[in-house]
Amino acid sequence: MSNGRAIAIVDDDLPLSRTIAKVLTRRQLAVEIFNTGEGFLEQVGRIEEFGCILLDLRMPDVGGLEILSALQDLAGCPSILILTGHGDIGVAVEAMKMGALDLMPPVRVFDRLGEAIGDLTMVYATTARDRQMVKPIVTARQAALEA
């Protein structure tokens, strides 16, 4: 990412996480993998080190919605993309209301990863002003999911 911050991958599927990390590092992006939600939350004090978060919705210890809830009020929280094969429309809308920019099923992750990372890079919303600029994009995606 342009400001040197890493992409956090929070997913209990370690082979998938490693594959995504390999793709991202080939794009000259720094990556850090967390294979448990709890492990990621233990590092929440480092949140400003991350440029975006790729977050699994369902993990055995702490799920993606719980992590989104914990991150909602943190200053400097990066953009979040949900990786899940279990999402339904209600969960997608809930995740986006909690701050996620998009949901992506694992079967399409490699088709859409470059586009999604590009979107996240473009809308690097880490300040209140940046978040206001991104709000119309998120609102439009929420409306599309609810339709």
Side-chain angles (χ1 to χ4, degrees):
M1 311 232 100
S2 59
N3 66 1
R5 294 191 295 168
I7 296 172
I9 301 173
V10 186
D11 195 327
D12 62 319
D13 183 342
L14 201 50
L16 177 64
S17 295
R18 287 181 177 151
T19 303
I20 293 170
K22 191 174 190 177
V23 169
L24 294 174
T25 55
R26 284 185 182 153
R27 292 175 173 249
Q28 308 301 312
L29 300 169
V31 177
E32 187 166 346
I33 296 173
F34 298 89
N35 63 353
T36 66
E38 186 176 297
F40 176 74
L41 288 175
E42 288 172 359
Q43 300 296 316
V44 80
R46 300 177 42 223
I47 197 71
E48 292 185 9
E49 294 178 25
F50 302 109
C52 70
I53 301 168
L54 302 180
L55 178 62
D56 187 10
L57 191 61
R58 292 192 182 171
M59 293 179 280
D61 60 341
V62 179
L65 290 179
E66 294 169 274
I67 292 171
L68 278 169
S69 179
L71 297 177
Q72 266 185 316
D73 298 324
L74 289 180
C77 184
S79 300
I80 300 168
L81 178 68
I82 300 289
L83 300 174
T84 185
H86 306 285
D88 61 32
I89 298 299
V91 171
V93 170
E94 183 65 24
M96 293 180 84
K97 285 180 179 178
M98 295 173 77
L101 287 182
D102 205 352
L103 272 82
M104 182 182 305
V107 295
R108 295 187 58 210
V109 71
F110 297 105
D111 295 337
R112 295 186 51 208
L113 190 59
E115 172 190 329
I117 294 299
D119 287 349
L120 290 172
T121 302
M122 182 181 73
V123 294
Y124 229 60
T126 58
T127 67
R129 181 173 174 254
D130 291 341
R131 288 186 194 280
Q132 287 304 318
M133 291 171 58
V134 173
K135 195 168 191 162
I137 297 168
V138 174
T139 302
R141 287 186 180 174
Q142 286 175 343
L145 285 170
E146 291 174 344

